[in-house]
Structures are given as structure tokens and as C-alpha cells.
Amino acid sequence: MFIDTHAHLDTNEYKNDLTATLMRAKAAGVERIINVGVDVATSKKSWELARKYPEIYATVGLHPESALDLNIETQGDLIYFTQQDKVVAIGEIGLDYYYLKRSSQYAHYPKREQQIFCFEQMLDLTMETQLPAIIHSRESDNDILAILKGYSGIRGVFHCFSGNYDLACKVLDLGFALSFTGNITFKKNTTAEEVIKKVPLGSIMIETDCPYLSPEPYRGRRNEPTYVVEVARKIAEIKGLSLAQVEAETTKKAKKLFGI
């Protein structure tokens, strides 16, 4: 059994064929899927999907691009969702400075201080609920690590990990896992290969981040949970292991972290 630990099946890309998408995933051995919220609306949709489909679990939280949505009402909504069955993590949460360094067309994007405040509020929620955190980090690794060091005992995963081996070691030292997506199958991704080769398999999980980041040989198409098997296959190739070994260990890690 494979577990896709990060999907966005609530998006419009699946509005016409979600059931068929889930059937294809099951046929490929992908029997559990974690659908991830990025704001209150998608958190609610994730929870609704989890209630409807046995194979789907939900997470709730505010992505850094949604930091300006943080208020007493949205905090109350998220607290309510965490009390529901099959809500297994807070996320995706974190910091994203990519657009802050780009053109003025992104002037509306939450500023660094606003993102940090929201991130810390979401981490407080993980501590209160004892749920794991799904971390989004983009051009913000130093701040992310510094903030997480102040939350002793927190657990979780850096999703769509794309950092180097030094960063990977720092993440593992904090007790977090690393999750990899279809971008590890792209040509000349030597940084990812080095990280995957060196870090313990027991600290790795797999995801699609669908509908984005379709792996080879499906690059350019809409991604879906079925293709998480290609991520596992690439990890097996890099580490010189069988696909069955990667399947077993990544599934074991996901089950333990998310309690599913």
C-alpha cells in the first residue's frame, strides 16, 4: 500500500472525475490520500472529502499566502475542524518569500512579518491539538528553522522538500520528516538525488502535491495520486532498493506520523 501524503483533490481540476481518479489510485495500490488545506475554504473542503471518501484524510491550516486571512473567526473555524474525525494534521503552513523578491505586481502578498505571525499562530495550534505540522518553506529556510526551534516537541514534515543535504540534516535534527514529490524525477535534479541517497529511508515520505508537479513520464499533464508510485520508484532507484522496500517504509512513516 502506498500513501499520497499531500494532495489537493478539492481543486477544480477534479470536479468532473474525482471518483474515477480515486479508483485509478486504488488500482495502483494508493489506498490512502491526505488532502491538504491552504485556507479556511479548502480546509473545509478537505474535511468534507474525508467524510465522503474512506481513503481520504484531511488537514487544515493557513498557507503563508493566506496569512492575511488570520483573525478570530478563521482561528475558530480551524479549531472546530481539528476536533473532527479524520483531520490528521495542521497544514500546510509555513513561510514563502518567493514573491516578496519579485516584481511589484505581488505587492499584495503577505509581508514577512505577517507571514511569521500567522505561522506562529498555526504552530500554536499544532501544540494545542498535538497534531503534526505540514511545513511549506520557500526561500525562507533560515526563518523556518529558527521559529521551529522555539517549539520543543513539535513533529511534522517538510513537504515538497527541495533543499540541499545540509538543510535536510537540520530538518531531521528537529525531528521532522522529508517528503518528496514528482520533481525528483526531473532530469539533472542532482540536489534531490544527493539528499535521498544520504538520508535514512525511515525519514522519508512520498507525495504528489497534485494537481501540480507531475512526475516523469507524466510531466505536463494534470497530476493525481496514482502517480505517487513514480516518486517511490525514483527513490528506490536512487537508493538502490526495491520498490517494495520504499513502499513499506514510506507507508510506515506516514501511518505513524499522521495516525492513520
Side-chain angles (χ1 to χ4, degrees), residues 181-189 214-217 230-231 234:
T181 64
N183 62 4
I184 69 170
T185 68
F186 300 168
K187 293 180 180 179
K188 298 182 179 180
N189 196 341
S214 295
E216 300 289 358
E230 300 303 325
V231 180
K234 185 63 176 182

Side-chain angles (χ1 to χ4, degrees), residues 159-163 178-197 201 204-208 212-217 219 223 227-239 246 250:
H159 109 91
C160 192
F161 187 80
S162 58
L178 308 175
S179 184
F180 295 95
T181 64
N183 62 4
I184 69 170
T185 68
F186 300 168
K187 293 180 180 179
K188 298 182 179 180
N189 196 341
T190 55
T191 300
E193 290 192 9
E194 179 189 14
V195 173
I196 291 167
K197 188 174 293 185
L201 181 58
I204 290 175
M205 297 192 300
I206 55 176
E207 61 171 283
T208 57
Y212 320 107
L213 297 174
S214 295
E216 300 289 358
R219 194 172 181 183
N223 202 0
Y227 302 155
V228 81
V229 178
E230 300 303 325
V231 180
R233 199 184 312 278
K234 185 63 176 182
I235 292 172
E237 175 189 321
I238 293 170
K239 294 186 80 67
V246 174
T250 57

Side-chain angles (χ1 to χ4, degrees), residues 60-96:
V60 300
L62 297 180
H63 185 283
E65 71 180 15
S66 302
L68 298 181
D69 294 342
L70 180 67
N71 55 44
I72 294 176
E73 183 179 354
T74 56
Q75 283 183 310
D77 289 337
L78 294 176
I79 290 171
Y80 171 77
F81 293 141
T82 64
Q83 298 168 347
Q84 309 308 310
D85 291 340
K86 297 184 75 181
V87 173
V88 298
I90 306 299
E92 62 189 279
I93 61 176
L95 302 173
D96 191 326

Side-chain angles (χ1 to χ4, degrees), residues 12 22-23 112 115 123-124 142 145 231:
N12 286 334
L22 294 176
M23 290 177 64
R112 174 178 177 271
Q115 291 188 36
L123 291 176
D124 289 344
N142 290 338
L145 293 173
V231 180

Side-chain angles (χ1 to χ4, degrees), residues 23-174:
M23 290 177 64
R24 285 192 294 273
K26 187 173 184 179
V30 183
E31 297 185 14
R32 295 180 189 176
I33 301 162
I34 298 176
N35 203 78
V36 177
V38 297
D39 55 25
V40 170
T42 57
S43 295
K44 183 175 186 289
K45 289 179 182 178
S46 293
W47 171 51
E48 290 171 343
L49 287 176
R51 293 175 65 194
K52 183 175 182 180
Y53 296 100
E55 62 267 54
I56 295 180
Y57 295 79
T59 80
V60 300
L62 297 180
H63 185 283
E65 71 180 15
S66 302
L68 298 181
D69 294 342
L70 180 67
N71 55 44
I72 294 176
E73 183 179 354
T74 56
Q75 283 183 310
D77 289 337
L78 294 176
I79 290 171
Y80 171 77
F81 293 141
T82 64
Q83 298 168 347
Q84 309 308 310
D85 291 340
K86 297 184 75 181
V87 173
V88 298
I90 306 299
E92 62 189 279
I93 61 176
L95 302 173
D96 191 326
Y97 297 164
Y98 177 82
Y99 293 109
L100 299 183
K101 303 173 183 178
R102 299 315 188 264
S103 69
S104 59
Q105 72 181 99
Y106 299 109
H108 65 284
Y109 203 82
K111 302 297 187 288
R112 174 178 177 271
E113 294 76 15
Q114 295 168 323
Q115 291 188 36
I116 289 175
F117 180 74
C118 181
F119 183 38
E120 290 176 339
Q121 293 297 303
M122 293 297 101
L123 291 176
D124 289 344
L125 185 58
T126 70
M127 297 296 285
E128 292 166 10
T129 60
Q130 292 298 294
L131 291 172
I134 297 178
I135 304 296
H136 171 103
S137 180
R138 194 179 190 193
E139 298 190 8
S140 56
D141 299 327
N142 290 338
D143 281 354
I144 290 270
L145 293 173
I147 291 168
L148 288 177
K149 287 178 181 177
Y151 286 83
S152 178
I154 199 168
R155 58 201 173 92
V157 57
F158 274 58
H159 109 91
C160 192
F161 187 80
S162 58
N164 59 25
Y165 180 62
D166 178 65
L167 177 62
C169 290
K170 292 176 181 177
V171 170
L172 296 182
D173 285 345
L174 287 173

